[in-house]
Amino acid sequence: MTNTDVSGAADAAEAAGAADAAGRDLIGRLAYGSLAAQTLRAAVRLGVMELVGDAPRPAADVATEAAAGAGAMTRLLRALAGLGLLSEQPPGSFSVTLAGALLRPGRPDSLASFVRMFTEPMMLRAWEHLDDSVRTGRTAFDTVFGTDFFSHLAQHPELSTEFNAAMSQATAETAAALPHALDFGRYTSVTDVGGGDGTLLAAVLAAHPGLTGVLLDTSEGLAGAPDTLTSRGLAERCSLTPGDFFQTVPAGSDLYLVKSVLHDWTDDQAVTILSNCRKVLPPGGLVLIVEPVLPDVVDGTDAGATYLTDLNMLVNVGGRERTRTDFEEVCRRAGLTLTSVTPLAKAAPFTLIEATATATGD
């Protein structure tokens, strides 16, 4: 064997070793993901980010105010620093990073309720049965709790309130981007189908004074809407309609907004929702669906969160994330023609999916 051969073999072995080490690191980080999530949950429940405040704070002081042990609190704060949510300097003293500040509940862009909800034991129980859902295709939540996800929320008002707050926080980024991503000036009224507390609709109405709005959701879903609209001075321009989008969608708008709704439901149920929108859609009207659109093949454009959301739909609510072809099919079955699919800038992975009434004879 020549020196060149020996060198080449050594390089190949080194590359293989590096790849193996990278793979082990990836698996380790993924396996520890649930531990990181519970660390976030503890930080929110203990109010760590509020207690640390805006200047470096000794761990012992944080522990005293949290009624916690100094040693254990230091370990928690160091774990949060390792996750990039705090920084430690000098030793034993911690300050909040930009990312960590998002866990403060008082901020308009807070994600504290989002973290609480998605680390809530109720949300995680069904995940323990993911393999069963994969084998059977059935929603594990229904088996574990004896009822479906949304009925369970309706029976537990505190969880329902937390869920509504989490959905509002998850919508904030989309609410900032959507009003500038479509020519809303072409329309006179927008109905937000399953619009929850009105976070998204309020942003659209505030940016477009010529629009009026209708907010459709269950009574539980609408619970926070009066406060949202009143705080933005929009109560007179938006009506609240408690109802069931599987039964009917109110007529009178020329734009129907459906954001993060269809992925909660099966294809047949999604067709029912869209069909109800189609029934009341006037000539020239638009159904605007705002959801992620999966590529036909996993291509690395998504870091994995949307695929995890897809599995969450499987185990908890029975829905799914969809590709463009999937959206075209549910729209076709509902009497709608998909006319445009545009990534929503600054609110990835959400996409604007525009659909109009299918012409007679098509």
Side-chain angles (χ1 to χ4, degrees):
M1 181 178 290
T2 66
N3 288 339
T4 300
D5 291 337
V6 171
S7 177
D11 289 343
E14 183 177 354
D20 180 71
R24 288 177 174 275
D25 179 65
L26 173 61
I27 297 299
R29 285 188 286 110
L30 293 176
Y32 271 58
S34 60
L35 279 63
Q38 292 305 315
T39 301
L40 285 183
R41 179 173 176 80
V44 170
R45 286 166 63 87
L46 290 167
V48 165
M49 301 308 167
E50 303 96 291
L51 294 178
V52 172
D54 298 321
R57 190 104 191 268
D61 292 353
V62 177
T64 297
E65 291 197 31
M73 178 60 75
T74 299
R75 294 164 71 176
L76 174 62
L77 299 184
R78 283 182 169 158
L80 291 166
L83 293 172
L85 302 174
L86 296 175
S87 61
E88 182 181 17
Q89 192 173 10
S93 187
F94 296 84
S95 56
V96 180
T97 65
L98 291 175
L102 295 173
L103 296 180
R104 290 173 174 162
R107 291 170 55 117
D109 58 352
S110 172
L111 290 172
S113 289
F114 179 82
V115 168
R116 280 182 180 271
M117 193 67 217
F118 281 88
T119 59
E120 163 64 42
M122 179 271 293
M123 287 286 287
L124 301 177
R125 284 276 303 282
W127 273 91
E128 298 172 10
H129 304 275
L130 172 60
D131 53 338
D132 294 329
S133 287
V134 170
R135 290 191 191 100
T136 66
R138 292 195 292 267
T139 306
F141 188 98
D142 298 9
T143 301
V144 172
F145 290 93
T147 188
D148 66 89
F149 182 84
F150 292 106
S151 294
H152 184 83
L153 288 183
Q155 296 164 11
H156 296 81
E158 289 184 5
L159 282 177
S160 181
T161 298
E162 194 72 74
F163 179 79
N164 291 342
M167 293 303 96
S168 177
Q169 290 182 354
T171 299
E173 191 174 47
T174 306
L178 179 61
H180 315 289
L182 184 79
D183 181 12
F184 285 95
R186 294 179 293 166
Y187 305 98
T188 59
S189 174
V190 54
T191 291
D192 192 349
V193 179
D197 76 345
T199 294
L200 186 60
L201 183 56
V204 171
L205 295 179
H208 299 277
L211 276 176
T212 59
V214 178
L215 195 59
L216 170 68
D217 212 317
T218 63
S219 297
E220 295 84 6
L222 292 174
D227 288 344
T228 299
L229 296 171
T230 300
S231 68
R232 301 289 297 272
L234 297 169
E236 298 300 318
R237 287 174 52 204
C238 184
S239 60
L240 306 184
T241 303
D244 180 355
F245 48 51
F246 289 119
Q247 298 299 319
T248 185
V249 169
S253 290
D254 47 4
L255 174 61
Y256 287 84
L257 174 60
V258 189
K259 191 265 181 189
S260 294
V261 169
L262 300 184
H263 75 167
D264 287 336
W265 308 103
T266 66
D267 286 351
D268 288 346
Q269 291 170 315
V271 170
T272 297
I273 296 167
L274 292 174
S275 294
N276 287 335
C277 293
R278 171 65 184 89
K279 289 174 184 176
V280 296
L281 193 67
L286 179 72
V287 176
L288 180 63
I289 302 165
V290 183
E291 291 202 1
V293 176
L294 294 175
D296 292 329
V297 177
V298 179
D299 58 9
T301 57
D302 188 288
T306 305
Y307 296 99
L308 293 176
T309 300
D310 185 41
L311 292 179
N312 189 52
M313 298 299 108
L314 172 64
V315 300
N316 272 323
V317 298
R320 57 180 295 206
E321 302 293 356
R322 294 178 170 89
T323 65
R324 175 172 180 149
T325 300
D326 295 328
F327 280 111
E328 288 175 340
E329 178 60 13
V330 293
C331 284
R332 182 195 65 77
R333 290 175 57 193
L336 296 167
T337 298
L338 194 155
T339 60
S340 176
V341 177
T342 309
L344 183 55
K346 299 182 180 179
F350 286 99
T351 298
L352 301 185
I353 305 162
E354 300 180 38
T356 58
T358 301
T360 303
D362 285 4

